[in-house]
Amino acid sequence: MQHRITLTINGTRRQMEVAPWTTLLDLLREEMELTGTKKGCDHGQCGACTVLLNGQRINSCLALAVTKDGAEVLTVEGLAAADGTLHPMQAAFVEHDAFQCGYCTPGQICSAVGLLKEGHARSAEEIRELMSGNLCRCGAYPNIVAAIEQAMQQAGVAAR
């Protein structure tokens, strides 16, 4: 049995039919062909599937698509401007070489964008704590923190 839902994905409103067991992650990757969002552990433990749902960071592998009817979803593909200009967080990740293999990078970036919007992080220690749900097997954590700190400074968020 399929259910009709409407989602605004990266600024585009879309109606679709989904099975009740379809996760938001599988809908994005398999139906919408937005493969930037990665399937890591599929248990909500690694953060590779992090997207922004109504501005809040979530693990899309744990969210059933049918429960998100009417929501706004922002994936890593939707962060850059229409002219291709990178989002400040994406640019900071590039500048600080905040990735190695790159598999976790889309989830790290989406989580970091959400972190900035939340406004709770004011220090490297708080960034590390609040990003702890996003794992990097390559160990690029120092560069990830540096990139987030740069984006915070550019956004006018002062560190304590």
Side-chain angles (χ1 to χ4, degrees), residues 14-69:
R14 297 174 176 251
Q15 289 188 350
M16 60 211 75
E17 299 277 334
V18 297
W21 53 83
T22 303
T23 64
L24 183 56
L25 172 61
D26 289 337
L27 176 70
L28 292 170
R29 287 186 58 80
E30 296 171 17
E31 301 300 321
M32 304 284 93
E33 297 182 357
L34 295 170
T35 56
T37 305
K38 302 301 184 213
K39 184 178 274 201
C41 68
D42 216 17
H43 295 289
Q45 297 175 350
C46 73
C49 67
T50 304
V51 298
L52 298 172
L53 183 81
N54 298 326
Q56 300 294 312
R57 52 194 174 143
I58 67 158
N59 291 330
S60 60
C61 72
L62 297 179
L64 293 176
V66 295
T67 67
K68 305 307 176 196
D69 187 28

Side-chain angles (χ1 to χ4, degrees), residues 57 115-123 126 130 152 160:
R57 52 194 174 143
L115 176 76
L116 253 59
K117 288 181 182 182
E118 292 164 11
H120 300 301
R122 298 280 189 261
S123 67
E126 289 177 347
L130 294 168
M152 285 173 59
R160 301 185 241 192

